[in-house]
Every structure is written in C-alpha cells, then in structure tokens.
Amino acid sequence: MSSSNPENALRSPGRMASGAFHPKGGAATSRRGSNKNNTRGFEVINGEDSSTKPLSGEAHAGPALPERTWVAKQCWGLKGIFIQPINILLVCVPIGIASGKGDWGCLPTFLLNFIAIVPLAAVLGAFTESLSAHTGQMVGGLLNATFGNAVEMIVTINAIRAGLVSVVQQSLIGSILSNLLLVLGMAFLGAGLVNKESRFNATGAGTNVSCLVLSSLALTLPTVYSYMPNATLADEVSLSRIIALVMGFVYVAFLVFQLRTHADLFTGEEAEGEEEEVDLAIVSSLVGLFATTGAVAYCSEFLVDSIEGVSKEYGLPYAFIGLILLPIVGNAAEHTTAVTAAYKGMMDLALGVAVGSSTQIALFVVPFSVIVGWIYDVPMTLNFQAFDATVFLLSVFIASGILGDGVANWFEGLMLCSTYAIVAIITWYIPEAGDAHRMLSANVTAVPPSIFV
C-alpha cells in the first residue's frame, strides 16, 4: 500500500514505507531501474548502448544479475518477514498449543500463549501490509483495519464466547491506552534522544484525536446512563448496539476521508520516495495471512481459557490482565515500530502507528465487540464502568493537548509514559469484588435476542 497514508504505513518491525528502513534480514520489496527501455542494467553513454559500461555507481558491481524468478521473489519476501529478532519467540507457538491441549496448568498455558502471540502479531501485520500493497487505498485501508487488529478481534471473540465481558472491555480500553500513552510517549522520548524538537503533521493527528473524542463520548454516555434510575440491562444492550452501528458508520466515513477525499492531509514529509515493487504475490500473502490468523486463534483461545485460573490461583487482578497485559500481546510489534520510526526522525509514521491504531480500535474493534456479543447472544455493552471510561476520556484529552501544536519533545513523552504508569499502578489495586457481577455469561435473562435467532 502507498506510504502516503501514515495509518497504514507499518504494522510490524522492519516493514517500512517508501523512503524508510527495511528489515535486517532482507526486504519484502525490490526496486527496478529507472530507465524503462534499458533492461540489461547498463546505461546509454554518448548515444551508445554499451554492455561494457555499467550504470553510475556500479563500476565495481560486475555484470547485472538476471531478474529473479517468481519462486525466488516469494522466498525473498518471506525472508524479509520471518528473519526478524522477535520471531525467535515463534518457538512458543507449538509449545503453547501443546500446553493448552495437554493441560499443563493455567500458568504455563497463559505464559506460553501470551509470548507466542507477540511474534504472531508482527507476522500477521507483515502479511497484511504485503497484501494491501496489491490493492487500492480503500481496499488496503479496510484490510489493515480488519487484519491489522486481528489479534484484538480474535481475543475479543474468544473472550465473549467465554462470557468474560469485563475482560473484553478492559482489554479494548487497554489497547487504546497503551497506544495513546505508552507507545506515543516512548516515541516522543526516542525522538528526543536525537533531536531537541520533532515536528509532525498536526492536521492528520488532530483528525485522529477528534475520532477518539467521539469514541470516548460513545463510551462515557452509556456508562453514565447505566447509573440512571430504572435503567435496565436490556436497555443498555439495545442502546449499545445502536451506538455501535453509528460508530462503525463513522469509521467507514473516516476511511473515505483519510484515503480518498482528503488524503493530502495525512501525507507526511517522509512519505515521499520512489515506489517499491512487492515481492510477495497475492496468493502467498493470502496463504500466510490465513495461516497466521489460524495460529493466533488457537493461541488466543488457550490464553483466554487460562485467564480465570491465573487470576484465582496467583492473585493476578482481572483489571491488570485486561488493561495492561492483554494489550501488550497485540501491540508489541507496533511499540517497536513506532519507537524505531520516531528515533529515525519519521514522526508522522510513528504517529500513524500509535494514534492511528488507537482510532482503529476505538471506532472499529469496539463496535465489532458489541456486534459479536449480539451474534452470540451475550450482553456485551458500551457500559465500560466508571473507572475505565474516565481513564479513556482523560487520556484522550491529555493526548489532544500534547498533539495540538505539531511539535514533540522528550518531556511530553515523559508525561505520557508517566500517565500510563499511574493507570497501571491503580489497576493493580482495583478490588475484585466488582468483577463477579461484571463477568456476564450467555444465559443472562432479559436481554434482546441474538440477530440470528
């Protein structure tokens, strides 16, 4: 996909847009020569097409290599995706699945599958970006919105099926907070190590923040409504489903605004560069995408099934698991990408990853979770409880104030990271008494029926 869109620019380490860095183990793209009529790798000098005169800068490079075959391109593309340091953790994928099937205990199952999903998220993002490069901007944007958040969506589906509504709500809020506070803060800190001040596209960032303000309103109002006299669970569920449809419509409109009608507002300075040819074919990208999605589904199912046991046996608070730990699973690759990009001076790309991902989760994954609850007849609502909704609302306003001037420095990054640290500390001390009635199961009565009933 074109690098002019910061939101879809990079979803895993090593996959950069034009003009950015490439994976250490090799890129998934390759550049062709600029002379379309010259296919042998030699330039025309003084009107002569001499096969003995190499292109400029290639005097010692020897004769041009023949164009790679289709199989060689696929191997090179796969090398760029899998030869990454974080992918060493892929060894935990089969071990984690074996742990879940072999009943090794809740703690080993939780830890192994927790670690396994981290590199799977990076690989999934890489295949998504490769597939998006073969499509137009609108289709590519939808692909990134869907598969770019596949980890969060799969965990959401499995948790809702298990009746862990509070865990779903907290993990979604936690994903937004980790991107908006921790990732963005660390990106500012990384940029501050190199430059005193770093400038970025305040217009594009402001549009994303406006979407987050709308999302915070959509979550806060149902929460406030739940405290009104005579408010029932059935009314909360119906209200949440209607608001979820509105939020989904707004996200589709945002994609049209960002990728079609006002794409120039989201183009950063580092987005300019020569176009790249994608090595991975559509078939290879699709196969890799669905294979990785299946692995994520397996691991996330065992991860979700072990949450309750870990919380009860080892005293790990549900709030801490949902708000802090689970978001790390889906966002680890994005953390690395945003900080590395900011350190290299590509602030628009870093903000596209951090703030853009928060917007996707708030306007796409949150409504998606409500629709999934509708399908499985589980009362998934937008009543995210007073603490979660308040933290989300305040975090959006903090980020809005910091992003408004279009200039970043290390102290602003420190403030964002400190805010996240305060939230993490408080979640550890949240009492568990309120979780029992918030963990709703599918057999709750007085709830509107499933859309398939």
Side-chain angles (χ1 to χ4, degrees):
M1 186 168 179
S2 174
S3 61
S4 62
N5 177 15
E7 178 182 351
N8 301 314
L10 241 219
R11 299 303 300 268
S12 68
R15 288 183 303 113
M16 290 306 245
S18 301
F21 61 86
H22 295 282
K24 297 178 181 179
T29 57
S30 60
R31 293 188 173 91
R32 293 187 181 277
S34 58
N35 188 348
K36 297 180 180 179
N37 297 322
N38 181 6
T39 60
R40 291 183 294 170
F42 300 94
E43 64 179 349
V44 179
I45 303 178
N46 297 326
E48 299 179 1
D49 184 5
S50 174
S51 61
T52 61
K53 299 179 180 179
L55 287 169
S56 301
E58 297 181 357
H60 303 286
L65 297 175
E67 186 174 353
R68 288 174 294 170
T69 63
W70 184 88
V71 175
K73 286 185 177 181
Q74 307 316 299
C75 293
W76 185 258
L78 292 174
K79 177 185 176 182
I81 291 175
F82 284 101
I83 307 300
Q84 300 293 336
I86 194 174
N87 289 337
I88 296 176
L89 300 178
L90 287 173
V91 297
C92 293
V93 174
I95 302 176
I97 295 175
S99 174
K101 289 184 173 295
D103 194 19
W104 294 2
C106 59
L107 185 60
T109 301
F110 179 85
L111 292 176
L112 287 170
N113 287 283
F114 180 89
I115 296 172
I117 293 179
V118 173
L120 285 175
V123 173
L124 186 64
F127 281 119
T128 301
E129 197 71 21
S130 176
L131 184 61
S132 299
H134 292 283
T135 64
Q137 284 194 344
M138 284 300 299
V139 177
L142 291 173
L143 285 172
N144 275 279
T146 305
F147 289 99
N149 295 297
V151 174
E152 289 89 346
M153 294 166 67
I154 293 172
V155 172
T156 293
I157 294 173
N158 288 326
I160 288 178
R161 290 174 58 190
L164 301 176
V165 173
S166 66
V167 173
V168 172
Q169 292 174 330
Q170 290 167 346
S171 66
L172 292 177
I173 292 293
S175 294
I176 298 173
L177 295 181
S178 67
N179 280 301
L180 199 59
L181 298 177
L182 181 62
V183 178
L184 187 61
M186 293 184 66
F188 281 12
L189 284 173
L193 295 176
V194 181
N195 302 306
K196 182 178 180 180
E197 288 186 343
S198 300
R199 298 190 176 274
F200 55 86
N201 183 357
T203 304
T207 305
N208 279 280
V209 171
S210 298
C211 292
L212 289 173
V213 173
L214 171 64
S215 301
S216 63
L217 183 72
L219 268 61
T220 302
L221 292 183
T223 302
V224 174
Y225 172 82
S226 67
Y227 290 95
M228 296 180 65
N230 302 322
T232 64
L233 178 61
D235 290 338
E236 290 179 32
V237 172
S238 299
L239 180 66
S240 298
R241 291 172 180 173
I242 295 173
I243 295 176
L245 295 176
V246 175
M247 293 172 68
F249 172 77
V250 172
Y251 184 71
V252 174
F254 174 65
L255 286 180
V256 175
F257 179 84
Q258 183 188 39
L259 303 176
R260 182 72 65 181
T261 63
H262 292 72
D264 56 302
L265 299 179
F266 299 88
T267 302
E269 294 180 0
E270 70 268 11
E272 299 179 359
E274 60 179 306
E275 294 185 357
E276 296 178 342
E277 177 194 359
V278 180
D279 281 328
L280 277 183
I282 295 180
V283 175
S284 302
S285 300
L286 283 173
V287 171
L289 189 65
F290 286 110
T292 309
T293 302
V296 171
Y298 259 111
C299 293
S300 66
E301 182 176 359
F302 295 129
L303 176 69
V304 170
D305 290 342
S306 63
I307 288 177
E308 188 172 358
V310 170
S311 180
K312 289 182 177 179
E313 293 183 21
Y314 299 93
L316 201 60
Y318 272 108
F320 189 80
I321 294 175
L323 277 170
I324 306 301
L325 291 184
L326 289 184
I328 295 176
V329 172
N331 298 330
E334 294 171 349
H335 291 193
T336 305
T337 296
V339 175
T340 304
Y343 182 80
K344 291 179 175 290
M346 295 175 286
M347 287 302 301
D348 289 305
L349 183 57
L351 264 69
V353 173
V355 184
S357 295
S358 298
T359 304
Q360 286 183 340
I361 295 171
L363 281 183
F364 179 73
V365 183
V366 170
F368 170 81
S369 67
V370 176
I371 301 301
V372 171
W374 194 353
I375 294 173
Y376 285 103
D377 199 15
V378 175
M380 174 69 193
T381 72
L382 293 177
N383 175 12
F384 276 50
Q385 304 304 316
F387 176 78
D388 299 343
T390 302
V391 169
F392 180 31
L393 183 63
L394 294 177
S395 299
V396 170
F397 280 108
I398 291 173
S400 176
I402 290 178
L403 295 173
D405 58 357
V407 178
N409 56 63
W410 68 267
F411 184 68
E412 291 178 337
L414 180 64
M415 287 192 293
L416 291 172
C417 292
S418 299
T419 304
Y420 187 80
I422 292 172
V423 173
I425 292 171
I426 294 176
T427 56
W428 183 267
Y429 287 94
I430 292 179
E432 297 295 321
D435 284 336
H437 72 273
R438 291 165 61 189
M439 289 180 56
L440 304 174
S441 57
N443 58 359
V444 175
T445 58
V447 174
S450 166
I451 59 177
F452 294 124
V453 175

Short mmCIF file of all heavy atoms in Angstrom, two decimals, residues 204-243:
data_model
loop_
_atom_site.label_atom_id
_atom_site.label_comp_id
_atom_site.label_asym_id
_atom_site.label_seq_id
_atom_site.Cartn_x
_atom_site.Cartn_y
_atom_site.Cartn_z
N GLY A 204 -3.31 15.84 10.47
CA GLY A 204 -3.67 14.42 10.45
C GLY A 204 -3.84 13.87 11.85
O GLY A 204 -4.79 13.13 12.13
N ALA A 205 -2.92 14.23 12.76
CA ALA A 205 -3.04 13.76 14.14
C ALA A 205 -4.29 14.31 14.79
O ALA A 205 -4.98 13.61 15.55
CB ALA A 205 -1.80 14.19 14.93
N GLY A 206 -4.65 15.57 14.48
CA GLY A 206 -5.85 16.16 15.06
C GLY A 206 -7.13 15.48 14.62
O GLY A 206 -8.08 15.35 15.40
N THR A 207 -7.16 15.01 13.37
CA THR A 207 -8.34 14.30 12.89
C THR A 207 -8.52 12.98 13.63
O THR A 207 -9.63 12.60 14.01
CB THR A 207 -8.22 14.04 11.38
OG1 THR A 207 -8.00 15.27 10.70
CG2 THR A 207 -9.48 13.39 10.84
N ASN A 208 -7.41 12.27 13.85
CA ASN A 208 -7.49 11.03 14.62
C ASN A 208 -7.95 11.28 16.05
O ASN A 208 -8.75 10.53 16.60
CB ASN A 208 -6.12 10.34 14.62
CG ASN A 208 -5.85 9.55 13.36
OD1 ASN A 208 -6.32 8.44 13.18
ND2 ASN A 208 -5.08 10.14 12.46
N VAL A 209 -7.43 12.35 16.65
CA VAL A 209 -7.83 12.67 18.02
C VAL A 209 -9.31 13.03 18.08
O VAL A 209 -10.01 12.67 19.04
CB VAL A 209 -6.96 13.82 18.57
CG1 VAL A 209 -7.50 14.33 19.90
CG2 VAL A 209 -5.52 13.36 18.74
N SER A 210 -9.82 13.72 17.06
CA SER A 210 -11.25 14.04 17.02
C SER A 210 -12.10 12.77 17.01
O SER A 210 -13.14 12.70 17.67
CB SER A 210 -11.56 14.90 15.79
OG SER A 210 -10.87 16.13 15.83
N CYS A 211 -11.64 11.77 16.27
CA CYS A 211 -12.34 10.48 16.26
C CYS A 211 -12.29 9.83 17.64
O CYS A 211 -13.27 9.20 18.08
CB CYS A 211 -11.73 9.56 15.22
SG CYS A 211 -12.00 10.06 13.51
N LEU A 212 -11.18 9.97 18.33
CA LEU A 212 -11.06 9.41 19.68
C LEU A 212 -11.96 10.14 20.66
O LEU A 212 -12.52 9.52 21.58
CB LEU A 212 -9.60 9.48 20.14
CG LEU A 212 -8.63 8.53 19.45
CD1 LEU A 212 -7.20 8.81 19.88
CD2 LEU A 212 -8.99 7.07 19.75
N VAL A 213 -12.13 11.45 20.50
CA VAL A 213 -13.06 12.19 21.35
C VAL A 213 -14.48 11.69 21.14
O VAL A 213 -15.24 11.51 22.10
CB VAL A 213 -12.97 13.71 21.05
CG1 VAL A 213 -14.06 14.47 21.80
CG2 VAL A 213 -11.61 14.25 21.43
N LEU A 214 -14.85 11.45 19.88
CA LEU A 214 -16.17 10.89 19.60
C LEU A 214 -16.33 9.52 20.25
O LEU A 214 -17.38 9.21 20.84
CB LEU A 214 -16.37 10.78 18.08
CG LEU A 214 -17.62 10.01 17.61
CD1 LEU A 214 -18.88 10.73 18.06
CD2 LEU A 214 -17.61 9.85 16.09
N SER A 215 -15.29 8.70 20.17
CA SER A 215 -15.36 7.36 20.77
C SER A 215 -15.48 7.44 22.29
O SER A 215 -16.24 6.67 22.90
CB SER A 215 -14.11 6.56 20.40
OG SER A 215 -13.99 6.44 19.01
N SER A 216 -14.74 8.36 22.91
CA SER A 216 -14.84 8.50 24.36
C SER A 216 -16.24 8.94 24.77
O SER A 216 -16.76 8.51 25.80
CB SER A 216 -13.80 9.50 24.85
OG SER A 216 -14.04 10.80 24.33
N LEU A 217 -16.87 9.78 23.94
CA LEU A 217 -18.25 10.19 24.21
C LEU A 217 -19.19 9.00 24.09
O LEU A 217 -20.10 8.81 24.91
CB LEU A 217 -18.65 11.29 23.22
CG LEU A 217 -20.04 11.90 23.39
CD1 LEU A 217 -20.09 12.77 24.63
CD2 LEU A 217 -20.42 12.73 22.16
N ALA A 218 -18.95 8.15 23.06
CA ALA A 218 -19.81 6.98 22.84
C ALA A 218 -19.68 5.96 23.96
O ALA A 218 -20.60 5.16 24.18
CB ALA A 218 -19.47 6.34 21.49
N LEU A 219 -18.56 5.94 24.65
CA LEU A 219 -18.37 5.01 25.77
C LEU A 219 -18.81 5.62 27.10
O LEU A 219 -19.31 4.91 27.98
CB LEU A 219 -16.90 4.58 25.87
CG LEU A 219 -16.49 3.31 25.13
CD1 LEU A 219 -16.72 3.45 23.63
CD2 LEU A 219 -15.03 2.98 25.39
N THR A 220 -18.62 6.92 27.25
CA THR A 220 -18.94 7.56 28.52
C THR A 220 -20.44 7.68 28.73
O THR A 220 -20.95 7.42 29.84
CB THR A 220 -18.29 8.96 28.59
OG1 THR A 220 -16.88 8.84 28.41
CG2 THR A 220 -18.56 9.61 29.93
N LEU A 221 -21.18 8.06 27.69
CA LEU A 221 -22.62 8.27 27.85
C LEU A 221 -23.38 6.99 28.24
O LEU A 221 -24.22 7.03 29.14
CB LEU A 221 -23.20 8.90 26.58
CG LEU A 221 -22.75 10.34 26.29
CD1 LEU A 221 -23.43 10.88 25.04
CD2 LEU A 221 -23.04 11.24 27.48
N PRO A 222 -23.12 5.84 27.59
CA PRO A 222 -23.79 4.61 28.07
C PRO A 222 -23.41 4.24 29.51
O PRO A 222 -24.23 3.70 30.25
CB PRO A 222 -23.30 3.54 27.08
CG PRO A 222 -22.96 4.29 25.86
CD PRO A 222 -22.40 5.60 26.34
N THR A 223 -22.17 4.56 29.90
CA THR A 223 -21.76 4.29 31.28
C THR A 223 -22.54 5.17 32.25
O THR A 223 -23.01 4.70 33.29
CB THR A 223 -20.25 4.54 31.43
OG1 THR A 223 -19.53 3.70 30.53
CG2 THR A 223 -19.79 4.25 32.86
N VAL A 224 -22.69 6.45 31.90
CA VAL A 224 -23.48 7.36 32.75
C VAL A 224 -24.94 6.93 32.77
O VAL A 224 -25.61 6.97 33.81
CB VAL A 224 -23.35 8.81 32.24
CG1 VAL A 224 -24.28 9.74 33.00
CG2 VAL A 224 -21.91 9.29 32.36
N TYR A 225 -25.45 6.48 31.62
CA TYR A 225 -26.84 6.05 31.53
C TYR A 225 -27.13 4.87 32.47
O TYR A 225 -28.22 4.77 33.05
CB TYR A 225 -27.18 5.65 30.09
CG TYR A 225 -28.54 5.02 29.93
CD1 TYR A 225 -29.67 5.81 29.84
CD2 TYR A 225 -28.67 3.63 29.86
CE1 TYR A 225 -30.93 5.23 29.68
CE2 TYR A 225 -29.92 3.05 29.72
CZ TYR A 225 -31.04 3.85 29.64
OH TYR A 225 -32.28 3.27 29.50
N SER A 226 -26.14 4.00 32.65
CA SER A 226 -26.36 2.82 33.50
C SER A 226 -26.61 3.18 34.96
O SER A 226 -27.15 2.37 35.71
CB SER A 226 -25.15 1.88 33.41
OG SER A 226 -24.00 2.48 33.99
N TYR A 227 -26.20 4.40 35.37
CA TYR A 227 -26.41 4.84 36.75
C TYR A 227 -27.72 5.60 36.93
O TYR A 227 -28.02 6.02 38.05
CB TYR A 227 -25.24 5.73 37.19
CG TYR A 227 -23.95 4.97 37.37
CD1 TYR A 227 -23.01 4.90 36.34
CD2 TYR A 227 -23.66 4.31 38.56
CE1 TYR A 227 -21.83 4.20 36.49
CE2 TYR A 227 -22.48 3.60 38.71
CZ TYR A 227 -21.57 3.56 37.68
OH TYR A 227 -20.38 2.85 37.83
N MET A 228 -28.47 5.76 35.86
CA MET A 228 -29.75 6.45 35.97
C MET A 228 -30.79 5.54 36.60
O MET A 228 -30.74 4.31 36.44
CB MET A 228 -30.21 6.93 34.59
CG MET A 228 -29.30 7.95 33.94
SD MET A 228 -29.88 8.48 32.31
CE MET A 228 -31.41 9.29 32.77
N PRO A 229 -31.76 6.12 37.33
CA PRO A 229 -32.81 5.29 37.94
C PRO A 229 -33.61 4.53 36.88
O PRO A 229 -33.87 5.04 35.79
CB PRO A 229 -33.69 6.33 38.67
CG PRO A 229 -32.81 7.52 38.85
CD PRO A 229 -31.89 7.54 37.68
N ASN A 230 -33.96 3.31 37.22
CA ASN A 230 -34.80 2.44 36.37
C ASN A 230 -34.11 2.02 35.07
O ASN A 230 -34.77 1.50 34.16
CB ASN A 230 -36.13 3.13 36.03
CG ASN A 230 -36.92 3.50 37.27
OD1 ASN A 230 -36.94 2.75 38.26
ND2 ASN A 230 -37.58 4.66 37.24
N ALA A 231 -32.82 2.24 34.94
CA ALA A 231 -32.09 1.75 33.76
C ALA A 231 -31.91 0.24 33.88
O ALA A 231 -31.48 -0.26 34.91
CB ALA A 231 -30.75 2.44 33.64
N THR A 232 -32.24 -0.48 32.84
CA THR A 232 -32.15 -1.94 32.85
C THR A 232 -31.04 -2.42 31.93
O THR A 232 -30.59 -1.69 31.03
CB THR A 232 -33.48 -2.57 32.39
OG1 THR A 232 -33.73 -2.20 31.03
CG2 THR A 232 -34.63 -2.09 33.28
N LEU A 233 -30.62 -3.67 32.16
CA LEU A 233 -29.59 -4.25 31.31
C LEU A 233 -30.05 -4.37 29.87
O LEU A 233 -29.28 -4.14 28.94
CB LEU A 233 -29.18 -5.62 31.86
CG LEU A 233 -28.14 -6.39 31.05
CD1 LEU A 233 -26.83 -5.63 30.98
CD2 LEU A 233 -27.91 -7.78 31.65
N ALA A 234 -31.30 -4.71 29.68
CA ALA A 234 -31.83 -4.83 28.32
C ALA A 234 -31.75 -3.51 27.57
O ALA A 234 -31.41 -3.46 26.38
CB ALA A 234 -33.28 -5.33 28.37
N ASP A 235 -32.06 -2.41 28.27
CA ASP A 235 -31.96 -1.09 27.64
C ASP A 235 -30.51 -0.75 27.32
O ASP A 235 -30.21 -0.17 26.26
CB ASP A 235 -32.55 -0.03 28.57
CG ASP A 235 -34.06 -0.15 28.70
OD1 ASP A 235 -34.68 -0.73 27.79
OD2 ASP A 235 -34.61 0.32 29.72
N GLU A 236 -29.58 -1.10 28.22
CA GLU A 236 -28.16 -0.84 27.97
C GLU A 236 -27.67 -1.58 26.74
O GLU A 236 -26.92 -1.03 25.93
CB GLU A 236 -27.33 -1.25 29.19
CG GLU A 236 -27.51 -0.38 30.42
CD GLU A 236 -26.67 -0.87 31.57
OE1 GLU A 236 -25.57 -1.42 31.29
OE2 GLU A 236 -27.08 -0.73 32.72
N VAL A 237 -28.11 -2.84 26.61
CA VAL A 237 -27.67 -3.64 25.47
C VAL A 237 -28.22 -3.06 24.16
O VAL A 237 -27.49 -2.90 23.17
CB VAL A 237 -28.12 -5.10 25.65
CG1 VAL A 237 -27.83 -5.90 24.39
CG2 VAL A 237 -27.41 -5.73 26.84
N SER A 238 -29.51 -2.72 24.15
CA SER A 238 -30.11 -2.14 22.94
C SER A 238 -29.45 -0.83 22.57
O SER A 238 -29.14 -0.57 21.39
CB SER A 238 -31.62 -1.94 23.16
OG SER A 238 -32.26 -3.16 23.41
N LEU A 239 -29.22 0.03 23.57
CA LEU A 239 -28.58 1.31 23.33
C LEU A 239 -27.17 1.13 22.78
O LEU A 239 -26.75 1.81 21.84
CB LEU A 239 -28.54 2.10 24.64
CG LEU A 239 -27.88 3.49 24.61
CD1 LEU A 239 -28.70 4.43 23.74
CD2 LEU A 239 -27.74 4.04 26.02
N SER A 240 -26.44 0.17 23.34
CA SER A 240 -25.06 -0.07 22.91
C SER A 240 -25.00 -0.56 21.47
O SER A 240 -24.10 -0.18 20.71
CB SER A 240 -24.39 -1.08 23.85
OG SER A 240 -24.34 -0.60 25.17
N ARG A 241 -25.93 -1.41 21.09
CA ARG A 241 -25.93 -1.94 19.73
C ARG A 241 -26.22 -0.85 18.71
O ARG A 241 -25.62 -0.82 17.62
CB ARG A 241 -26.94 -3.08 19.62
CG ARG A 241 -26.51 -4.32 20.40
CD ARG A 241 -27.59 -5.38 20.46
NE ARG A 241 -27.13 -6.55 21.23
CZ ARG A 241 -27.90 -7.59 21.56
NH1 ARG A 241 -29.18 -7.60 21.20
NH2 ARG A 241 -27.39 -8.59 22.24
N ILE A 242 -27.12 0.06 19.04
CA ILE A 242 -27.41 1.17 18.12
C ILE A 242 -26.19 2.09 17.99
O ILE A 242 -25.80 2.47 16.87
CB ILE A 242 -28.63 1.96 18.62
CG1 ILE A 242 -29.88 1.08 18.60
CG2 ILE A 242 -28.85 3.21 17.77
CD1 ILE A 242 -31.10 1.72 19.24
N ILE A 243 -25.58 2.42 19.12
CA ILE A 243 -24.39 3.29 19.09
C ILE A 243 -23.24 2.61 18.34
O ILE A 243 -22.48 3.26 17.62
CB ILE A 243 -23.96 3.66 20.52
CG1 ILE A 243 -25.04 4.51 21.19
CG2 ILE A 243 -22.63 4.41 20.51
CD1 ILE A 243 -24.74 4.84 22.64
#
